Each structure stands twice: as C-alpha cells, then as structure tokens.
Amino acid sequence: MTITRDRPEPNIRVGSFNCNGLGNPEKRSLVLNWLKNKPEDIILLQETHTVTDTEDSWGRTWGGQIIFNHGTSNSTGVTILLKPNRGIEVVSHKIISQGRVTLLEIVHEGNSYCLVNVYCPNSNVSHVAESTITETLGRTRDDLCILGGDWNTVLDNNLDKYGGSATHSNSKRRDFLNKTIADYGISDIFRLSRGTDRVYTHVNKQHKTQSRLDYFLIDDRLVNFPICSTDISHGFKSDHSYISLNIQGRTLNRGKGYWKLNNAHLSDDRFLSSVRNIIHDTVNDSFDSYTGLWDVIKFKIKDFAISFGKKEKKEKNVEKEKI
C-alpha cells in the first residue's frame, strides 16, 4: 500500500497477551475489564480456552466486537478484541489454524491493515508459522501487515533467553522466522528499536528461565513513521507479559519525528572509519542469527550517526562564532 498525502497516515495501537486461559468466568471478567483500561484499539489474545457456549458471556463483558477462534475449554484458542467507537471497519476474517491463528483484514482511519493473531504450539515444529506466513503474505490485498502473539520460540538465543539450556528447544520455528524476516520485508520491531536490550515476556519459575516469546513482526513500511514503538509491561493473572505496538504517522506535538542519514557523512573519513569499527565490534559479539546481527548493526549505526551529526553541528557553530 502506498501512503500518499491525500490518505490519512497510520495511527493505530495494538496489544497482545497470552492470558493463560479464560474459561473461569470470574477470571475472564477481571482480565477483560483490565484490558478495557488499556489504550490499544485492538487486542490479540492467546490461550483463551473459548468455546461456542461462552461467546455471549464474553460479549456482555467486553462490550465491543469480538473475533473468536475456538480451541477447547481447557486448551488453545485465540481471540481478537476490538474496542468500541474506534472507527475500525472489519473487512474480513479467516481462521488459518484452528485455535491458533486468525487473520483479520480491517480499515482504520482510511488505511488498510492485515492483523494476524498467532499462538504457536510449544513444540519443535514450524508448520503453524509456515502456514501463517504463506496465508498472510500470499494474499492479493495491498495492506500493511502486523503479526503478533505468542510464537513460543525466541528469535535470538543470546538476547531473548535467560537461564536453562543455551538454546531454545523450538529451533525449527526460530530458523524459519529469521529467514522470513530476512527475505520478506518484515521486522521484529522490538529488536529493531531496542537494540541489544534484554527484556523477557515469559517466566518459567519451575525451570528458572525467562524468554521473549511474545512479539510483533510488522511490515517494514511501518518502521520509519515518527512513532513506531513496542513495549513490554506486566501481565495480569498470567505468566506472560502484555506487549503493545504504537504506530503514529501524523506529526505529533512531541517526539523527534523522522530521522534521515545525512549523506554528507558518507564522504567523511572519520564517520566511515567509526562505522567500520562498529560493524567489526558487533560481528565479534555472539548472535544466534544474521537477522539479529543486522538489526543491532543498524541500530548502533543510527545511534552513532545521530551523535556524530550533533557533534559536527556544534563544531561548525563554534567555527562561525570565531569568525
């Protein structure tokens, strides 16, 4: 989708949360009311344990549109919650994998999106992720894709995992997702924006491990808007954290807006030498995938380029004052 001046720019918030089962009516009411207070327009839920008989109860508590993909009363299930009065037009929705993946096509404030709610199995198989990517990227509709949920694997064993064995057991899915990120124009927005930060979304107290299993993979066209950020915050009655995605394409009263590399730096030997050093030093670090390495290199170069530009501007101002 080409975003032109006569089309409103993206302005959407999406949340995602593995709720560890909402079959219990009391817990369901508490969690849904907790989610009502979140600022996100759309919330992707995994492991909801919904069945047809509980749809009416969900509807009464939530008060907005709900897209169900049932599992059983004690396993799987993914659900998409739409906040009322947020100007969201549902175009279509489709179950890619029963109880595990739902694809939702919407229009929001004049822009077309494809939202995919993912709950991969906790086993070393990749078929659910493969069918998700095939169905999502194989469509003819020209829209902006946001895939989020519990992928049940990390993308980088060094950065996304703490404790236990050195590698996450679901390596087939990890390898497939990293190849997809490298080949198809989507990004792990957390790693892209947060560099080497080690923040986790799941805690296993029994095995004393922490992992980043929950994340958004988003269309590369969304990455360069003035605000495109993701956050990890405390969950509620679950061993998973709540993750959120905020994309704002309009000029806001706050925020730094777009960043563009000053191409003049590419003719500066000092700049080029420092960039080479950044690449060399980063390559010598331990990374589980080329995608993770590339994302961190880009982040470090951007950070250095901003600092270099500020320093150069300051030096030029000093020279002007001397004149």
Side-chain angles (χ1 to χ4, degrees):
M1 179 178 68
T2 302
I3 299 171
T4 58
R5 289 183 179 179
D6 60 349
R7 180 191 296 272
E9 294 172 329
N11 176 23
I12 192 168
R13 293 172 180 259
V14 183
S16 178
F17 182 50
N18 182 323
C19 51
N20 283 171
L22 295 181
N24 180 282
E26 183 179 353
K27 178 183 176 181
R28 179 166 63 244
S29 177
L30 289 170
V31 171
L32 290 180
N33 281 299
W34 174 70
L35 292 170
K36 284 181 181 180
N37 293 318
K38 295 291 184 182
E40 285 67 45
D41 307 300
I42 301 167
I43 299 174
L44 315 177
L45 295 181
Q46 303 85 44
E47 204 176 344
T48 52
H49 300 181
T50 61
V51 293
T52 304
D53 291 345
T54 59
E55 287 186 9
D56 288 342
S57 176
W58 275 74
R60 287 192 298 272
T61 304
W62 179 245
Q65 189 170 358
I66 304 175
I67 309 297
F68 292 102
N69 179 353
H70 298 305
T72 71
S73 60
N74 58 10
S75 69
T76 66
V78 292
T79 300
I80 302 177
L81 304 176
L82 308 180
K83 291 279 183 71
N85 305 315
R86 296 294 178 97
I88 300 168
E89 176 192 346
V90 174
V91 176
S92 70
H93 55 87
K94 175 182 180 180
I95 292 175
I96 294 177
S97 177
Q98 189 65 49
R100 292 200 175 275
V101 184
T102 298
L103 184 151
L104 172 66
E105 294 180 334
I106 66 167
V107 174
H108 181 248
E109 296 189 355
N111 287 299
S112 299
Y113 299 91
C114 172
L115 292 148
V116 186
N117 188 4
V118 181
Y119 177 40
C120 287
N122 187 17
S123 57
N124 193 23
V125 295
S126 60
H127 64 276
V128 171
E130 289 176 11
S131 60
T132 298
I133 297 300
T134 299
E135 292 278 355
T136 302
L137 302 184
R139 297 168 306 114
T140 58
R141 186 177 189 245
D142 189 15
D143 50 22
L144 295 164
C145 294
I146 299 172
L147 301 91
D150 178 0
W151 298 87
N152 254 318
T153 193
V154 300
L155 293 175
D156 190 296
N157 283 315
N158 180 50
L159 297 175
D160 297 329
K161 187 178 181 302
Y162 177 82
S165 63
T167 60
H168 194 276
S169 58
N170 298 339
S171 59
K172 291 181 180 178
R173 190 177 313 124
R174 180 198 68 219
D175 293 344
F176 170 76
L177 290 175
N178 278 317
K179 187 177 188 306
T180 299
I181 291 170
D183 293 347
Y184 290 104
I186 59 176
S187 294
D188 169 17
I189 183 59
F190 177 88
R191 188 58 59 211
L192 191 63
S193 60
R194 301 284 290 272
T196 57
D197 285 1
R198 288 172 167 83
V199 186
Y200 311 106
T201 65
H202 178 258
V203 177
N204 188 316
K205 293 182 179 179
Q206 180 181 357
H207 296 102
K208 298 180 180 179
T209 61
Q210 300 180 68
S211 307
R212 188 171 69 94
L213 305 178
D214 310 81
Y215 39 88
F216 291 101
L217 302 179
I218 71 170
D219 194 309
D220 278 348
R221 291 173 291 178
L222 291 168
V223 169
N224 290 320
F225 283 100
I227 291 182
C228 181
S229 61
T230 186
D231 192 26
I232 297 172
S233 56
H234 291 296
F236 180 62
K237 294 187 175 296
S238 172
D239 56 4
H240 284 256
S241 299
Y242 180 86
I243 64 172
S244 57
L245 175 70
N246 180 16
I247 298 170
Q248 304 283 339
R250 299 192 180 110
T251 302
L252 303 179
N253 292 329
R254 55 182 180 177
K256 298 179 180 179
Y258 294 93
W259 172 80
K260 286 184 67 176
L261 173 67
N262 182 350
N263 289 332
H265 294 342
L266 300 178
S267 301
D268 190 311
D269 290 338
R270 298 172 303 163
F271 180 83
L272 295 177
S273 177
S274 296
V275 168
R276 291 189 189 100
N277 290 334
I278 289 171
I279 294 172
H280 179 269
D281 293 343
T282 307
V283 167
N284 288 334
D285 289 340
S286 176
F287 286 89
D288 191 60
S289 69
Y290 288 117
T291 303
L293 171 63
W294 175 231
D295 284 345
V296 172
I297 286 175
K298 288 189 290 185
F299 176 84
K300 287 185 175 181
I301 291 176
K302 175 183 175 181
D303 193 48
F304 168 71
I306 292 172
S307 175
F308 184 89
K310 289 179 178 178
K311 183 179 179 181
E312 186 182 52
K313 183 178 180 181
K314 185 176 181 181
E315 290 174 351
K316 289 182 177 180
N317 287 337
V318 171
E319 290 178 2
K320 288 180 179 179
E321 290 177 1
K322 289 180 179 179
I323 297 172

